[in-house]
Amino acid sequence: MKKIFLLLLAVGVLLPMQAQRKLKLNLKRAIELANDSSLQAFSAQNRYLSSYWEFRSFKAERLPSLNLNLTPASYYRYITTRYDSNLDRDVYRSQQTFSAGAGLTLSQNFDPLGGSFYLESDLDYMRAFGVNKATQFSATPIRLGYSQSLLGFNQFKWDKKIEPLKYEKAKKQFLYNTEATSEQAVTYFFNLALAQANYRLARDNQQSTDTLYSIGQMRHKIAAISQADLLTLRLDKINAENTLKNATIAVKRAMQSLAVFLNLEKNTEIEIELPAITGLIAINADDALALAQTNNPTYLAQQQQILEAEQNVNRTKVQSRFNASLSASVGLNQVADNFTNVYKRPLSQELVSMTLSIPLLDWGVRKGKYNMARNNLEIARIQARQEEVSLEEDLLTTLSDFDVQQNLLSSAQEAVDLAEQAYEQTRQRFIIGKVDVNSMTLAQNRQQEAQQNYIQAQLNYWADYYKIRKLTLYDFESGFSLSDKFDYSLGRYKR
């Protein structure tokens, strides 16, 4: 029984300790946590790493490759036909063969022509069982060759154009997704800031209305206010209590949403610190457009789509006509009954082979595919231009809104100060009976509205700023490109 009591006591102590985890969070820290720990950040990082290893594979394919091919053992027992000179006819005979082999191949792709050079060396062993037993070794000490399609599609040439562009787009897309995560963090951050501000106003309002109702009761006893005014104060008190309850719920929801987004524990209590506006940020529209054209991954994606469409046009054009391929090799080989002699006095080995494929009748299939590829290329060019115009319009609109929000922010701050002073003065005058209930209620509403407008102005300001960063991938506060301080090997900003 004593152990159970101690266990319950420990649980009762630990649970409040867990529930009291508090975190003071400013906007900069919230964005850092979002880009380090959020699920969106992990997703963006893994998408980038996938593109990174794809590009590494492309670079590796441009280097020589060395392969070892082994057949350690192969046993084959079968019935075959043989000519019997004594009987002067074919007869069936049982045959057993054991073989093994090894080969080493060094190959190198040749991008300009789309062919491949190779250097080979191999050794084979065969032993036959049965009536005529035999053992043989076959060796090709060295063979140098080259093969390619003479008039075919050169995939190597197009990969050399497209793959570096794809990787550059992946890097820019990584930065774009990072800034998109920052933009989301701004929204969650200020949603909680607004909820906490509303909660504080509701709490203060509830305390104030409770005090004012008590004062109203005393003043009503001496006939200083009417019954209608007293009922109004009572109604304000009840409404303030209900508003406080709703504000408490809204704070919990906004706090949980931010904690989940930042990948924090759900029971973390977050206290928001609003950022201070140090000064206006001047962003030139022409400079921003030039930065977007240089850094935004949309432009690189458009180039990739056009290149891939041109590649398809070239492929269908080449495939619509006859094709020829060439394979040539020179080397040495030898056959012997034992391993010692298989590399002695090797004989020369030459191979030249050319194949042709000529389409005679396909009922317009190749021509149709070629025309369709050309139309798709035009569509890609038109879509690229449409996306470019849309992006430029979005950037210019956001720049215009950002300039407006900078002006609104300073006036919203001034409105908060004035509303708080007016409310406090009205409250003091109400206590001494200089103003009526309506004036007091109006001052409260103005104070709450001013506070909400200020936080909303901050939300719009920072949301527009990080959207401009996302579209241009440029830090206008520090004055340098985001890619300059981004470590692609670690997938995060350099601190």
Side-chain angles (χ1 to χ4, degrees):
M1 190 70 181
K2 184 178 180 180
K3 292 182 178 179
I4 296 176
F5 174 75
L6 292 175
L7 178 61
L8 291 175
L9 180 62
V11 171
V13 171
L14 290 175
L15 286 177
M17 291 177 60
Q18 289 181 348
Q20 292 176 356
R21 293 175 182 171
K22 295 183 179 181
L23 174 66
K24 280 192 175 182
L25 199 62
N26 57 31
L27 180 60
K28 181 180 179 181
R29 181 55 181 161
I31 291 174
E32 289 177 353
L33 286 174
N35 288 322
D36 287 339
S37 305
S38 69
L39 297 179
Q40 287 83 345
F42 292 148
S43 176
Q45 186 177 34
N46 281 283
R47 283 198 295 267
Y48 164 71
L49 289 176
S50 176
S51 299
Y52 169 77
W53 288 111
E54 181 181 358
F55 183 69
R56 285 284 301 270
S57 298
F58 160 76
K59 296 290 289 184
E61 289 176 353
R62 311 275 73 77
L63 302 175
S65 62
L66 182 64
N67 294 306
L68 176 64
N69 302 311
L70 294 174
T71 305
S74 176
Y75 176 75
Y76 187 25
R77 181 176 181 177
Y78 58 99
I79 303 297
T80 186
T81 57
R82 291 286 186 269
Y83 177 74
D84 190 328
S85 58
N86 295 326
L87 300 176
D88 192 22
R89 62 184 177 88
D90 292 333
V91 297
Y92 288 107
R93 289 184 179 175
S94 176
Q95 186 74 31
Q96 300 179 62
T97 303
F98 176 83
S99 63
L104 200 61
T105 303
L106 179 66
S107 60
Q108 171 66 60
N109 295 328
F110 188 57
D111 293 350
L113 297 179
S116 297
F117 288 99
Y118 59 90
L119 185 66
E120 295 180 337
S121 179
D122 57 61
L123 173 66
D124 294 305
Y125 165 77
M126 183 180 68
R127 179 173 178 80
F129 301 93
V131 178
N132 298 318
K133 297 181 180 180
T135 300
Q136 281 191 318
F137 288 87
S138 173
T140 302
I142 187 171
R143 177 167 59 240
L144 175 64
Y146 178 77
S147 63
Q148 79 157 77
S149 177
L150 296 177
L151 302 175
F153 175 70
N154 188 349
Q155 184 68 53
F156 297 151
K157 182 184 72 174
W158 286 101
D159 286 346
K160 196 172 183 179
K161 292 180 179 180
I162 295 174
E163 292 302 325
L165 181 63
K166 285 175 62 178
Y167 179 57
E168 187 65 25
K169 184 200 72 173
K171 292 194 293 185
K172 301 296 185 183
Q173 189 65 49
F174 190 11
L175 291 173
Y176 184 92
N177 292 337
T178 300
E179 293 307 307
T181 301
S182 300
E183 193 178 1
Q184 285 183 281
V186 168
T187 302
Y188 283 108
F189 179 87
F190 281 104
N191 283 344
L192 178 56
L194 182 59
Q196 289 183 343
N198 288 338
Y199 171 78
R200 288 190 293 268
L201 289 172
R203 182 192 59 197
D204 295 342
N205 188 37
Q206 188 273 333
Q207 295 172 354
S208 178
T209 54
D210 187 65
T211 302
L212 293 175
Y213 178 64
S214 299
I215 295 172
Q217 285 178 316
M218 291 185 292
R219 293 179 64 189
H220 180 261
K221 290 179 180 180
I222 60 174
I225 63 172
S226 65
Q227 179 68 24
D229 287 341
L230 182 61
L231 292 175
T232 300
L233 290 174
R234 172 65 177 168
L235 178 62
D236 289 343
K237 179 178 180 296
I238 295 173
N239 287 337
E241 291 172 351
N242 293 333
T243 301
L244 180 59
K245 293 176 183 177
N246 291 329
T248 303
I249 296 173
V251 166
K252 289 181 179 179
R253 289 178 177 175
M255 193 177 297
Q256 185 177 19
S257 296
L258 179 58
V260 170
F261 177 74
L262 298 180
N263 206 19
L264 302 173
E265 294 185 8
K266 292 183 180 180
N267 61 350
T268 303
E269 184 177 344
I270 303 173
E271 183 181 346
I272 293 296
E273 295 179 357
L274 289 176
I277 306 300
T278 56
L280 300 181
I281 302 175
I283 302 177
N284 183 272
D286 292 335
D287 293 341
L289 285 173
L291 289 168
Q293 292 173 355
T294 302
N295 298 328
N296 195 287
T298 300
Y299 291 92
L300 296 175
Q302 294 167 359
Q303 297 176 33
Q304 178 186 334
Q305 290 172 2
I306 292 174
L307 272 177
E308 288 175 345
E310 290 176 346
Q311 173 187 241
N312 195 32
V313 169
N314 179 254
R315 180 189 292 110
T316 55
K317 181 179 179 180
V318 168
Q319 291 176 351
S320 65
R321 60 196 183 197
F322 76 94
N323 188 20
S325 61
L326 172 68
S327 179
S329 66
V330 294
L332 301 171
N333 67 346
Q334 183 58 278
V335 176
D337 294 336
N338 54 68
F339 180 77
T340 304
N341 296 327
V342 75
Y343 285 99
K344 292 182 179 180
R345 295 186 297 276
L347 304 176
S348 63
Q349 180 191 69
E350 297 88 18
L351 170 67
V352 177
S353 174
M354 178 178 288
T355 60
L356 293 175
S357 175
I358 304 174
L360 298 178
L361 183 64
D362 65 355
W363 308 102
V365 173
R366 291 179 175 85
K367 183 178 180 181
K369 290 182 178 179
Y370 174 65
N371 290 333
M372 184 170 59
R374 288 201 310 172
N375 291 336
N376 289 336
L377 174 59
E378 292 303 317
I379 292 173
R381 288 171 175 167
I382 294 172
Q383 288 179 342
R385 180 55 187 161
Q386 289 174 338
E387 291 177 0
E388 181 180 345
V389 170
S390 177
L391 189 149
E392 291 176 356
E393 289 179 353
D394 190 17
L395 178 57
L396 291 175
T397 300
T398 306
L399 286 170
S400 178
D401 291 344
F402 181 68
D403 291 337
V404 173
Q405 293 303 327
Q406 290 193 96
N407 296 326
L408 285 177
L409 196 56
S410 58
S411 62
Q413 177 64 68
E414 183 181 2
V416 169
D417 297 337
L418 292 174
E420 289 178 350
Q421 295 175 17
Y423 171 73
E424 186 59 31
Q425 292 179 10
T426 304
R427 180 177 177 275
Q428 296 298 330
R429 294 185 67 192
F430 178 81
I431 292 174
I432 62 176
K434 295 293 185 179
V435 297
D436 58 11
V437 174
N438 291 333
S439 298
M440 185 64 198
T441 302
L442 183 60
Q444 289 175 342
N445 293 338
R446 285 174 174 171
Q447 182 195 26
Q448 184 173 7
E449 183 181 3
Q451 185 69 32
Q452 290 174 341
N453 289 341
Y454 174 65
I455 296 178
Q456 187 64 46
Q458 282 226 20
L459 168 59
N460 295 337
Y461 170 85
W462 289 109
D464 285 343
Y465 176 69
Y466 277 96
K467 184 175 181 180
I468 294 170
R469 278 176 50 125
K470 179 181 71 174
L471 295 176
T472 60
L473 299 185
Y474 192 82
D475 186 346
F476 291 92
E477 288 183 296
S478 304
F480 54 79
S481 175
L482 296 179
S483 59
D484 292 340
K485 64 172 184 177
F486 195 81
D487 191 338
Y488 288 106
S489 63
L490 298 177
R492 61 171 180 259
Y493 287 113
K494 301 171 186 174
R495 304 288 189 233

